Amino acid sequence: MQGNKSYMRDDQLSSEKRFLKPQSASAQLGKLPPQAVDLEETVLGAIMIEKDALTKVIEFLKPEMFYKDSHQKIYEAIRYLFDKTQPIDILTVTQRLRQSGELDFVGGAFYITELTNRVASAANIEYHARIVSEKYIQRKLISISTEIINSAYEETSDVFELLDTAEKNLFSIAETNLRRNFDSMSGLVKRSLEHLEEMMQREDGLTGVPTGFSGLDRITSGWQNSDLVILAARPGMGKTAFILSAVRNAAVDFKKPVAVFSLEMSSIQLVNRLISGEAELPQDKLRKGNLASYEWEQLHAKIGKLVEAPIFIDDTPALSIFELRAKCRRMKAQHNIELVVVDYLQLMKGSMDNNRTGNREQEISSISRGLKAIAKELEVPVIALSQLSREVEKRGGNRRPILSDLRESGSIEQDADMVIFINRPEYYGLTENEEGMPTQGLAEIIIAKHRNGEVTDVNLRYINKYVKFTDWEEHYVTDNSYGPLSGISPSATFDSQSPGTIILPSKMDDIDDDEVPF
């Protein structure tokens, strides 16, 4: 009925129209991807009018960074000519596009000529090319973000696989487009001199993260920044015990923040080992909780330093190289970690592509390259534990490991700045080493590869009941429970009233009274 018909007031109608009306031209057209087509034309034109222009941008400017497909084809033709060491100008680029059948696609010879008319010189080509690459990065970020959003709405998506894929794609952008440029010699020499002056002021001579083992530190000057160190041994040799001792020394004695990624043992198991070594309580007692009252007091008295130590343990199983890189970056930002430990390399996952192909050697190669990249990016030493093959067991004699014993050693040996083996002759039932030294508690730290230093051996003491390593001499002068002191008479005794004091028998005791000439 007309009497019941409702009418909208003029002010309501105008308000409704205002709501429905687009507010701007951008709202009418929608959003355009980030682009700089005019600068793309300028860059291409500059390359074709000046011979040396391409060398300023070819390192970071890739064909896919151009927004227009025709510009991508033109730049591909330019790169092809550069690769063949042919001249680059209007005629050669046109001819190359004609040969590839893409001249009409890009707009013909006329468009190539027009590009050179748009620019007078190549003076600002690097600046313009940087803007082109930045627009590409923006487009990639939008694309990846959109893909992440769409996948996140899918109920069937595996959230952890989605995280890994997103992280991989984001890191690929950073690695491809944000690489550091070269440094001039003047700047490098200046930095080197400043570093040398800083080192001269250090009394201990350590330039890296200290290992806490005096013999090893004398050779390595500590774990060096940007180095990838491979620590390898057969199962049961004490890889984890050695690295935990080194981690404890760096964090407790020198206050260096350390990140430990344990793919084999849980964080509680690692901490129990650290407590055993710090409190000097047998590992089996801690495991069973069978401690006497005085041992509880000993434990609480000695672990105070360990509680305050800047050690960060992550026991995520089957960690991928992408996850490791992300975690290390966060720890570097939050805790300024100065050392990264991975236990151990063969339990890590490589890239998703390598996982699909099933080639384990390629996967290990990808992991070792990734570890080296992390060391360089964060400027910290990365120590990765690794297994040795069974070839060591098949050899006779002292069974000392060699570089070829590294499992899947294709690129591990190549990527590593230092390769260290642990060998305990006692493990194989040998009572003396080649030098005639008793092997009880002896651990040979074999530096098999050292890119920046000496290749040699260092002897350490392995204390099995505390599952820790110490300097070779340390426990000899304080405790006579580890066997005879090398090079000193077996009849030497220890002064219980003065720790560290050795009482040697007089040599006169070795002379027969009948042989005395007076």
Side-chain angles (χ1 to χ4, degrees), residues 407-426:
R407 287 181 60 184
E408 295 106 3
S409 63
S411 66
I412 296 177
E413 178 185 342
Q414 175 184 335
D415 294 328
D417 297 281
M418 185 183 298
V419 177
I420 297 177
F421 297 126
I422 301 175
N423 182 48
R424 293 195 293 114
E426 185 181 15

Side-chain angles (χ1 to χ4, degrees), residues 164 167-168 171 175 228 261 263 317-329 340 342 345 347-352 354-355 363-375 377 382 384:
D164 186 67
E167 191 173 80
K168 176 183 177 181
F171 285 158
E175 291 176 354
L228 172 60
F261 295 91
L263 286 78
L319 197 65
S320 73
I321 194 67
F322 301 107
E323 294 169 328
L324 178 67
R325 184 185 287 114
K327 289 172 181 286
C328 287
R329 281 174 171 168
V340 174
V342 179
L345 187 149
L347 290 179
M348 289 191 66
K349 292 194 302 182
S351 65
M352 296 178 65
N354 286 328
N355 288 340
E363 186 177 6
I364 292 294
S365 298
S366 171
I367 292 169
S368 66
R369 288 194 301 270
L371 292 173
K372 177 60 181 176
I374 292 172
E377 177 188 344
V382 174

Side-chain angles (χ1 to χ4, degrees), residues 46-63:
I47 291 173
M48 288 187 286
I49 65 172
E50 288 198 14
K51 180 176 66 174
D52 298 327
L54 181 60
T55 58
K56 298 178 181 178
V57 300
I58 194 170
E59 183 182 358
F60 65 88
L61 189 62
K62 305 295 187 294

